[in-house]
Amino acid sequence: MRFRTRLMLVLLTVVILSQLATGAAFLRATQNDIIVKGNQRLEVGANVFQQLLSARGDQLGNNIAILADDFGFKSAVSTQDNETLYSVLANHGTRANADIVLLTDLDGRVLAGSHHARDSAMPFPQLFERANLNGSAVGVVVTEGEPYEFALLPVRAPHLIGWVGMGFLINETVTSEIKALTGLDVSIVTYQQGRISSLSSSHPEALALTLINDNSEQLQNGDYSLTGQMTPDDEYLSYSSMLYAGGNAQTHVLLQLSRNELLGAYRSLRWQLLGIVALILIATAVVAMWSARSISRPLMALASAAKRIGRGERVDDLASGTRHSETGQLASTLLTMQDEIAKREAVLHYQSRHDLLTDLPNRICAEEEIERAIAAGSAFILMRLAINNFRDIKDTFGYALGDNVLVTLAKRLHQLESGRRSAYRLDGDELLLMHVDIETDADWRRPLFAALSAPIHLDRSPITPSLSIGEVHFPDHGDSTQLLLRRADIALDMAKRQRCIHQRYQQGQDELHQRQLTLIRDLKRAVDNGELWMAYQPKVNTRTGRVNQCEALMRWQHPTLGFIPPDEFIALAERSGQIGMLTNWMLSHICEQLARWKQRDYHLSVAVNLSTSDVMDPGLCQRIAALLKQYQLGARQLSVEVTESAMMQDVEVATRTLLELGRMGLSIAIDDYGTGYSSLAQIKRLPVNELKIDKSFVLALDTQADDFTIVRSTIEMGHSLGLKVVAEGVENRASAELLSEVGCDHLQGYWIAKPMPSDALPAWLDAFETLSLPTPGLPV
Ligand code: G
Ligand code: G
Ligand code: MN
């Protein structure tokens, strides 16, 4: 939930709760107060009722006093003239609006009465007792189940001769008068022998009856604690009091205030209060919204500023509150943070574009710079530098020193930097020098190379860094950064391979490079897809004139690039570490072929070419032995040809391998003899059986006297060391005869046969006629 909404809700909740609490308390107090006031009103009403009754009683008393004082009346009483008495009493009663009249003798025996028979006993003994005590009495009496307010006075002439009394019925006249006076509902109920004998009420009769019945238990038990209660069910607040109790009758008065009347004002007050609360709530909501907004607005501004900072925008205008307010502090913190981030970003940016070790700009920087120079369109030169023996330096002198060499070179480049040059570290031991404005002085390379290659004095022992540098030109050698860098790398590779300090990229090298990459990639597939096959070229024994041996030569028919010369792919296989795979395939393929020929009764011996890594492979001899065993071939059926350079790479290991092969019974030939730098003295120490004179000396043997001299002396020297000598590249009969004359043991060449597929060999052998060549010793 949003901060603003939450703040608003909290404020509203607080206000609503407090409003409800005060409202409820207020209403409750008001209600209680109203009920208390209602009770008071009921009490007051009861008093008014009592007073009304007694005032009317007194009024009646005054009327009776006039009658009692009347002479005629007195004499009628004394003479006990009944007829007269009754008429006088009745007349007077009518005049006084009395509902009941009564005359008794001294002892209370009835002399005359509207409701009582003559000579009956005193009907109101309680009242009569009080009258005897006080001289007169006024009070409520019940007769024939009806309540009356009754006054009883003495008749004196002058001594007491009797009692006269009058009363009026307490009926609806009284109750409606009280209602008019007090606004209270009044019910007067009389019970006789437990049953309602009379009921007069300001309520309609049915309602009055229900109300009385509701309260009858309390009334009859004389329990007058009916005040002060008002439950939600109660329609009326009630007050009761007893008017009369005597004999078997009671009269009660019940004063009531209806709930609607009592709480009418309260209800409207409640609605008013609710209205006020609603208004306050609306006002609070508005204020809460406003204040939540005014609190949250600066926070929102800060949040959006933080977001912008997060996006990397720069925020300068952060006016939010005063400096000292919390939001102000937050704002200034945010600005400080922004600055810190910017600083750190700058450091990171620098670090991401510079090499930590040499502090030169890195590859990313270089690429951008080249991109820019290309876009500018003016010519420039890139020199890609690598330290040739960097790994050796590190391995021998430790990493720290290796790093030191790099740092020194970086410093030298840095010193050489002018406005026209800039240096970068690409990765590892590779550095890049970019040279713009190539017109000025033509020969700037020589001093540069000299300066870079100067010995480095570290730990007092000088190290001379051996550098290789590949150079490319824009726009001659490419029009994209990646292309230029790649071609510089190719040139560098050339420099490394040719062991010279500097090579400039040659047109076509890249394509060659691409072709080589393709070949390396496809070599593995070539074996699996059967794209490789072996060709066999026969060798002829000069003494017998017969073929007893062939050289196996690998062939690759690439599906798209066509025939790939072995010179090319063998070298690539060696460079990419795949030669072992090729040799294994070749060896098992040849052994299988030999076994098949053997079955067909062709007992041939095959010479295989071994490359440098084959000779270094410690598992080679074992594999050859296993194959010979598997195909049940004799060791004589296989021989190997190894070039001088392959052996010279690591003479010790090569010697071990060759010794082992010799022990197994394989014949070993030095291939391409004469092209390397090995001397026969060196070869003498090796377990070698045969020398194979390189075809470059043989091809034009018949015409080139020099070649012939070399070949002849090589043959002589080989023989003197106990070695057989083979000549390859014999292309004509003249050469063959010359070679035979000087004692060459075997001949190989197109004049005899070109390399052929295995299928073609048996037929060729069948057709081959024994050569007759001159024997050695004949004059040339
Ligand atoms: O025929 P030709 O052009 O095939 O021979 C080229 C070179 O390739 C030869 O010098 C030969 O030594 C080398 N070569 C041919 N076949 C093989 C082979 O199976 N293994 C190795 N290591 N070299 C081979
Ligand atoms: O591994 P070695 O260099 O011995 O391989 C012999 C190579 O010489 C093979 O490439 C083979 O094709 C090639 N070759 C064999 N005989 C002749 C020949 O008479 N003339 C020429 N030009 N090449 C030959
Ligand atoms: Mn060979």
Side-chain angles (χ1 to χ4, degrees), residues 298 318-329 331:
L318 249 186
S320 65
T322 53
R323 275 295 100 187
H324 300 291
S325 69
E326 285 84 349
T327 46
Q329 278 178 19

Side-chain angles (χ1 to χ4, degrees), residues 14 89 115 126 138 261 397 464 532 536 572 584 728 752:
V14 168
L89 205 55
H115 289 65
Q126 285 171 355
V138 177
E261 193 190 328
F397 302 105
T464 305
L532 292 180
Y536 300 89
L572 289 176
N584 283 344
E728 64 175 12
I752 299 152

Side-chain angles (χ1 to χ4, degrees), residues 542-544 736-744 772-780:
T542 49
R543 250 182 328 103
T544 62
E737 284 178 350
L738 280 173
L739 285 163
S740 185
E741 275 164 17
V742 294
C744 187
S772 120
L773 292 164
T775 44
L778 286 175
V780 181

